């Protein structure tokens, strides 16, 4: 209200939108709200009862022109705009005809290259705000680590901003990690969770577009209800219908990629299931945060399969920029440290975001504090190696792979398994489901091969010999 720049970091469901909507509604000037997702804009504009308009690529040109006209004419208080729209020739010039009060960057972590959902279109928003002569810039996010928050201030050029961080704890949410041995076990766990009393409405995050459609069809058949899929590759109308039917309560479950996440404001989501480990802990916190926005007890369940590690490693290795690659490896270690960790899940999340508050839980906290969910397998045991934390040794992992691999494997195949290889042989024989798969992704092949040969020399492993020698555990192992 005083015209100060603001950086607001507040948990999902705690009321970030109200913090800029109320000042905008009290101001005679136009507030411009930059929002990254169509679903977020539709929800928020719909809730503002004619006081807001939106412009994005999902609407036709005539609708966008009318939205701009109404905004310039002072007929609305807020204009929601997709970030890429500012690159359209003439758009900024046209918008500059209005007197701009607040320039809001929602989901502001997208401006940071260290954020989990970085978007290049966000980079120029600080310049756009200054070009429009905005009275103040308001950056809001639920998922900014201290590093990301500092980067947001720098990228947007915030001027001595008021910094408000209200904490990250969501006491009404429970956080459970469930280790699953296979895709089939994962499917069974999801269905068991959705069939429990009080589990619906629910969101199931399936990872890829293909998996999203397959999972939606499977759950729909098993539960005997219509289950829509939602992902960025869908046509505009089916995607909008999927969102509408879930938000209205017409369908009790939606299966989605992370495109169905930021800003989806359905208050009574009771369960969020992740069938794939997300690429970062920030992404998990945000997507899980769709649950329990009404403050009632809700569950966030992460189904973790070793195969997910290999997929993460595969995609990271496609990154060419060294700095970006190092950042993704850091996110990999953080999210798998959480999955494989043995401390309170809630405390782990709070510490990740720099929140030192004492965790407060409701009826249930997490699988570490309260034990595994009934009827489902437990999270990884304390003895399991934590990725990147130096705990455990390659010796244990090598002996485990040699012991459990079927068919038996040789020296180089052991190394490939531990480094998270994606060859056809790995997939054919299910080697990517072994406990040690991908756990030494950051080791060079010659380093791991040296460890294998050392175990052979020490008499703990023996080779079968022949044209295609395989490894066996020696009696000493």
């Amino acid at each position: 209200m005083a015209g100060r720049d603001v950086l607001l970091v507040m948990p999902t469901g705690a009321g970030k939108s109200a913090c800029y909507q109320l000042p905008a509604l009290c101001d005679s000037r136009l507030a411009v709200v930059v929002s990254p997702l169509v679903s977020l804009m539709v929800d928020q504009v719909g809730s503002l009862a004619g006081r807001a308009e939106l412009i994005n690529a999902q609407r036709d040109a005539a609708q966008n022109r009318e939205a701009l006209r109404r905004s310039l004419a002072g007929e609305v208080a807020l204009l929601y705009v997709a970030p890429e729209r500012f690159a359209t020739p003439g758009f900024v010039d046209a918008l500059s005809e209005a007197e701009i009060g607040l320039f809001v960057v929602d989901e502001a972590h997208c401006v940071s290259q260290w954020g989990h959902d970085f978007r290049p279109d966000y980079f120029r928003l600080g310049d756009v705000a200054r070009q429009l002569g905005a009275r103040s810039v308001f950056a809001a996010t639920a998922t900014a680590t201290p590093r990301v928050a500092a980067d947001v201030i720098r990228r947007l050029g915030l001027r001595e901003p008021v910094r408000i961080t209200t904490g990250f704890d969501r006491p009404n949410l429970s956080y459970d990690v469930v280790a699953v041995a296979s895709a089939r076990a994962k499917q069974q766990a999801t269905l068991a969770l959705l069939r429990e009393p009080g589990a619906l409405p629910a969101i199931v995050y399936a990872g890829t577009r293909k998996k999203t459609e397959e999972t939606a069809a499977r759950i729909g058949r098993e539960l005997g209800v219509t289950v829509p899929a939602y992902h960025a590759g869908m046509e505009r109308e089916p995607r909008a219908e999927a969102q509408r039917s879930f938000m209205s309560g017409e369908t009790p479950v939606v299966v989605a990629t992370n495109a169905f996440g930021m800003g989806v404001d359905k208050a009574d989501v009771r369960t969020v299931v992740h069938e794939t480990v997300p690429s970062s802990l920030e992404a998990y916190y945000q997507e899980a945060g769709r649950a329990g926005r009404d403050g009632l007890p809700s569950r966030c369940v992460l189904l973790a399969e070793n195969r997910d590690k290999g997929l993460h490693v595969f995609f990271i290795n496609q990154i060419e920029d060294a700095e970006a690659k190092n950042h993704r490896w850091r996110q990999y270690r953080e999210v798998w440290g959480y999955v494989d960790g043995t401390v309170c899940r809630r405390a782990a999340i709070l510490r990740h975001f720099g929140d030192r508050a004492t965790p407060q839980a409701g009826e249930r906290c997490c699988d570490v504090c309260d034990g595994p969910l009934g009827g489902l397998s437990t999270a990884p045991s304390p003895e399991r190696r934590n990725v990147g934390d130096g705990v455990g040794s390659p010796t244990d992992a090598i002996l485990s792979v040699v012991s459990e691999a079927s068919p038996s494997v040789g020296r180089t195949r052991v190394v490939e398994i531990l480094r998270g290889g994606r060859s056809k042989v790995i997939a054919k024989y299910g080697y990517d489901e072994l406990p040690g798969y991908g756990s030494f992704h950051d080791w060079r092949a010659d380093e791991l091969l040296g460890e294998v040969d050392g175990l052979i020399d020490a008499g703990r492993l023996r080779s079968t010999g022949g044209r295609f020698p395989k490894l066996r555990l020696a009696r000493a192992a």
Side-chain angles (χ1 to χ4, degrees):
M1 294 291 285
R4 294 279 302 278
D5 286 354
V6 176
L7 174 62
L8 175 67
V9 184
M10 181 181 282
T12 297
K16 288 185 301 298
S17 300
C19 292
Y20 61 77
Q21 288 174 349
L22 278 170
L25 292 170
C26 294
D27 194 351
S28 61
R29 291 164 288 212
L30 178 68
V32 175
V33 183
V34 183
S35 176
L37 289 177
V38 173
S39 57
L40 181 149
M41 286 192 271
V42 171
D43 285 352
Q44 302 226 337
V45 170
S47 71
L48 286 165
R51 299 299 308 278
E53 269 289 1
L54 63 92
I55 293 177
N56 62 44
Q58 299 297 316
R59 309 183 90 197
D60 60 39
Q63 289 175 310
N64 284 333
R65 281 195 301 270
E66 175 60 13
L68 181 60
R69 184 201 66 76
R70 293 191 67 208
S71 301
L72 297 179
E75 296 176 16
V76 295
L78 300 96
L79 174 64
Y80 284 75
V81 184
E84 62 271 13
R85 179 64 51 169
F86 294 103
T88 303
F91 179 72
V92 175
D93 290 339
L95 193 56
S96 63
E97 295 180 17
E99 186 179 5
I100 308 297
L102 277 174
F103 187 91
V104 180
V105 182
D106 207 358
E107 309 297 348
H109 58 271
C110 294
V111 80
S112 172
Q113 66 185 106
W114 311 120
H116 68 90
D117 199 25
F118 166 63
R119 304 191 180 206
D121 286 323
Y122 264 61
F123 256 7
R124 63 192 304 260
L125 294 181
D127 293 335
V128 169
R130 284 181 283 276
Q131 187 176 343
L132 291 173
R135 183 187 184 212
S136 61
V137 178
F138 189 114
T141 179
T143 55
T145 62
R147 185 185 194 189
V148 170
D151 202 32
V152 168
I153 290 172
R154 182 174 64 87
R155 296 281 185 186
L156 292 178
L158 301 185
R159 303 154 297 185
E160 299 182 352
V162 177
R163 296 186 61 167
I164 302 169
T165 302
T166 63
F168 291 84
D169 204 359
R170 301 275 308 280
N172 64 309
L173 302 187
S174 61
Y175 298 95
D176 288 278
V177 175
V178 178
V180 290
S182 65
R184 179 61 180 161
K186 183 184 296 184
Q187 294 169 7
Q188 292 172 337
T190 298
L191 286 172
L193 288 165
L194 297 179
R195 282 173 170 151
E196 289 188 4
L200 305 179
I203 301 172
V204 177
Y205 285 104
T208 66
R209 296 175 181 181
K210 181 180 179 183
K211 278 290 185 186
T212 294
E213 295 180 355
E214 293 173 350
T215 302
R218 184 186 74 246
I219 292 175
R221 287 195 304 271
E222 294 286 348
L223 297 184
V225 298
T226 300
V227 176
Y230 185 103
H231 61 73
M234 294 170 62
E235 294 294 328
R236 178 173 62 185
E237 291 304 322
R239 186 166 57 170
E241 175 57 23
Q243 180 178 346
R244 185 206 62 76
S245 63
F246 180 67
M247 299 297 288
S248 68
E250 185 179 316
T251 55
V253 182
V254 65
V255 181
T257 62
N258 59 6
F260 194 80
M262 292 185 293
V264 174
D265 188 13
K266 183 173 175 62
D268 62 345
V269 174
R270 297 276 72 90
T271 304
V272 172
V273 178
H274 277 77
E275 282 202 348
T276 303
V277 176
S279 60
S280 71
L281 195 51
E282 294 99 311
Y284 178 65
Y285 175 76
Q286 183 180 69
E287 292 160 16
R290 299 302 107 205
R293 292 169 69 101
D294 56 6
L296 298 179
S298 303
R299 298 183 304 178
C300 309
V301 184
L302 177 56
L303 304 177
E305 185 184 7
N306 274 326
R307 187 187 300 265
D308 296 341
K309 283 183 180 175
L311 291 172
H312 286 188
V313 171
F314 173 79
F315 286 117
I316 292 171
N317 284 332
Q318 308 308 305
I319 300 173
E320 296 182 359
D321 180 78
E323 188 176 18
K325 193 172 206 174
N326 287 337
H327 174 56
R328 282 289 292 110
W329 277 127
R330 180 166 50 251
Q331 291 180 320
Y332 173 93
R333 289 191 292 270
E334 289 166 349
V335 75
W336 283 102
Y338 172 81
V339 170
D340 292 342
T342 57
V343 300
C344 170
R345 307 291 181 191
R346 186 181 306 278
I349 288 172
L350 295 186
R351 300 303 173 259
H352 177 74
F353 288 106
D355 188 337
R356 298 297 166 187
T358 300
Q360 303 294 322
E363 298 175 3
R364 180 178 175 85
C365 179
C366 67
D367 58 291
V368 174
C369 296
D370 301 315
L373 288 171
L376 298 177
S377 58
T378 61
S381 67
E383 292 75 28
R384 182 170 167 182
R385 178 180 185 266
N386 285 343
V387 176
D389 65 4
V391 177
S393 72
T395 295
D396 294 335
I398 292 166
L399 295 178
S400 174
V401 168
V402 171
S403 172
E404 298 185 33
S406 179
S408 299
V409 291
R411 296 163 62 247
T412 56
R413 190 71 70 195
V414 170
V415 170
E416 183 185 11
I417 292 168
L418 293 179
R419 297 185 72 228
R422 299 293 298 164
S423 68
K424 292 181 179 178
V425 173
I426 294 285
K428 179 179 179 181
Y429 294 113
Y431 293 144
D432 51 0
E433 296 181 11
L434 294 172
Y437 177 75
S439 58
F440 286 83
H441 64 86
D442 49 353
W443 283 48
R444 297 198 314 271
D446 60 332
E447 292 176 324
L448 279 175
L449 202 57
E451 294 285 338
V452 174
D453 291 340
L455 291 173
I456 295 173
D457 293 340
R460 303 187 70 181
L461 290 177
R462 61 182 178 84
S463 175
T464 61
R467 186 178 177 188
F468 301 106
K470 306 299 181 185
L471 294 177
R472 298 281 191 272
L473 291 183
R475 185 165 297 178

